[in-house]
Amino acid sequence: MLRWIDVLTFARYSNPEPARRVELSEAEWARQLPPARFRVLRQKGTEPPYRNAYCRCYEPGLYACAGCGSRLFGSATKYHAISGWPSFTQPRTPSAIKYAFDDSLGMQRMEASCNVCDAHLGHVFPDGPAPSGLRYCINSASLVRIPAG
């Protein structure tokens, strides 16, 4: 189980190596992704709170990266954080997410990106529920839900 100290260590020293890499030019990403997804995944945009696909979705399944299809989160770790965006307590594997310090917008945050294709997902915070204390606040536009079964 990852904890905040693990996230800080990854961001400060080195993220885990992913099992594979997907690397496309920004022009290729722009051709492949719808504009709203391109804005979030490649330009680090944020979708409006509460008006997104998975904020209130709690059906069993997996959540994959909308860019490359890598499985990022399981529905068992999704919870209602009242943040306006889908929230998770843990990634599927320690190497699923890449972490980076984000000082944009006058705030200090920890960016969460897909470790396979570098797509911006959202941010992770140390104010989640026990036992990990993590809250992955993720844009629905960066995810594709894969139903259980």
Side-chain angles (χ1 to χ4, degrees):
M1 171 185 317
L2 292 177
R3 298 186 186 276
W4 185 244
I5 190 68
D6 302 314
V7 170
L8 291 173
T9 301
F10 288 150
R12 188 170 290 128
Y13 299 109
S14 181
N15 284 289
E17 286 295 319
R20 65 186 178 102
R21 290 284 302 153
V22 173
E23 296 179 11
L24 301 175
S25 70
E26 289 307 299
E28 290 171 310
W29 283 118
R31 283 192 298 275
Q32 179 176 313
L33 298 169
R37 282 208 161 129
F38 181 80
R39 190 181 67 74
V40 171
L41 292 170
R42 307 314 305 176
Q43 298 176 325
K44 301 185 180 190
T46 300
E47 64 193 357
Y50 299 106
R51 295 186 312 251
N52 53 70
Y54 303 125
C55 179
R56 294 180 180 96
C57 177
Y58 296 96
E59 297 170 20
L62 296 174
Y63 291 86
C65 175
C68 68
S70 295
R71 271 75 169 156
L72 302 172
F73 300 99
S75 60
T77 66
K78 190 172 187 300
Y79 74 104
H80 186 62
I82 314 172
S83 68
W85 294 274
S87 297
F88 302 87
T89 59
Q90 290 286 302
R92 271 192 82 228
T93 65
S95 64
I97 306 295
K98 181 167 98 174
Y99 305 95
F101 294 102
D102 178 2
D103 294 328
S104 66
L105 305 177
M107 296 180 269
Q108 293 183 341
R109 301 177 292 174
M110 183 66 69
E111 181 184 8
S113 300
C114 174
N115 203 16
V116 172
C117 71
D118 299 330
H120 173 74
L121 304 172
H123 293 85
V124 59
F125 302 95
D127 61 0
S132 73
L134 296 178
R135 174 173 59 95
Y136 288 81
C137 187
I138 307 298
N139 288 287
S140 286
S142 66
L143 300 172
V144 173
R145 191 175 77 79
I146 302 167

